Amino acid sequence: MKNALIIFIRNPEKGKVKSRLAKDLGEGRTLEVYKFLLQHTRDVCADADVHRFVFYSDYINLNDAWNEPCFAKHLQEGDDLGERMMNAFAKVFDFGFERIAIIGSDCYELTTAHLDDAFAQLEEFDAVIGPSKDGGYYLLGMKQLHPALFTEKKWGSDSVLINTLDDFELQGTNYIELPPLNDIDTLADLLETDIPVKCNLDLPK
């Protein structure tokens, strides 16, 4: 199998995850939400017919739900998100994989079917991107490394998607877009889901 999935996660620690959500929800409840999203992402990825690589933000946790050998564990390397993603892609391409996609861990709408679709599209297209409704993307896949995709971006802003699509156009990259999905970044995003009920959260009034 030549398909590989990179999953970028943050080590789940109070005060270090989902800062925009924490402003309204508080650090403790935000950590609960993030742990729930991590488990959701893990379950979605575990069912995909791919090799899986989880990249931790700060340190590799050898005793968590991302069990080996289902998930190979690595550490993110780089000064910003773009550099960390580029380095992760480069590492996994060096392992010999031909089609690689990357996702984060905060898209509750993501399903295994979305992942399967992304890799199916990479059979025909050079790249695939899953737009998120906040102007970023929840998935990026490619058959060769395109370094320009990871530079000169204002990460976390609503310009990331359009700038990435501009890069595709400039490079003449044959790409396709997946259906747009919503990340969980704010309290408004959270309230559109059933996560508060599943986590039994006492939400702020």
Side-chain angles (χ1 to χ4, degrees), residues 8 10 76-87 150-155:
F8 260 34
R10 287 189 174 275
Q76 298 173 28
E77 299 176 328
D79 293 331
D80 63 13
L81 178 58
E83 188 175 354
R84 294 196 299 270
M85 289 194 294
M86 182 175 66
N87 289 338
F150 306 105
T151 61
E152 298 183 9
K153 304 291 187 299
K154 188 177 179 182
W155 301 106

Side-chain angles (χ1 to χ4, degrees), residues 2-170:
K2 295 299 184 180
N3 295 342
L5 178 66
I6 296 169
I7 308 112
F8 260 34
I9 71 171
R10 287 189 174 275
N11 293 87
E13 298 178 356
K14 187 175 180 180
K16 295 185 177 181
V17 298
K18 312 303 300 178
S19 58
R20 281 189 286 169
L21 179 61
K23 289 179 181 178
D24 293 317
L25 194 61
E27 292 179 350
R29 286 176 294 189
T30 297
L31 181 59
E32 291 180 48
V33 170
Y34 187 63
K35 287 180 176 179
F36 178 86
L37 289 171
L38 281 177
Q39 186 61 49
H40 169 77
T41 304
R42 185 215 171 280
D43 293 345
V44 166
C45 296
D47 290 335
D49 188 21
V50 295
H51 289 270
R52 306 164 198 87
F53 297 84
V54 57
F55 279 75
Y56 293 81
S57 60
D58 297 313
Y59 60 90
I60 295 175
N61 190 337
L62 298 177
N63 299 296
D64 61 6
W66 302 90
N67 55 301
E68 297 179 305
C70 185
F71 296 92
K73 301 187 177 191
H74 297 271
L75 189 64
Q76 298 173 28
E77 299 176 328
D79 293 331
D80 63 13
L81 178 58
E83 188 175 354
R84 294 196 299 270
M85 289 194 294
M86 182 175 66
N87 289 338
F89 267 104
K91 175 177 284 190
V92 179
F93 272 122
D94 283 346
F95 291 153
F97 291 96
E98 297 175 355
R99 292 171 292 273
I100 304 173
I102 191 170
I103 62 170
S105 53
D106 53 5
C107 186
Y108 185 46
E109 295 180 347
L110 184 71
T111 66
T112 306
H114 291 116
L115 299 180
D116 293 340
D117 185 27
F119 284 100
Q121 298 296 347
L122 284 175
E123 298 282 348
E124 178 180 355
F125 294 89
D126 296 327
V128 60
I129 192 165
S132 55
K133 297 175 183 178
D134 61 1
Y137 53 78
Y138 62 86
L139 179 147
L140 179 67
M142 61 190 77
K143 291 191 284 194
Q144 67 181 56
L145 185 61
H146 297 280
L149 302 180
F150 306 105
T151 61
E152 298 183 9
K153 304 291 187 299
K154 188 177 179 182
W155 301 106
S157 75
D158 60 5
S159 63
V160 171
L161 175 64
I162 189 64
N163 289 342
T164 303
L165 298 181
D166 287 345
D167 288 337
F168 283 148
E169 298 292 343
L170 287 171

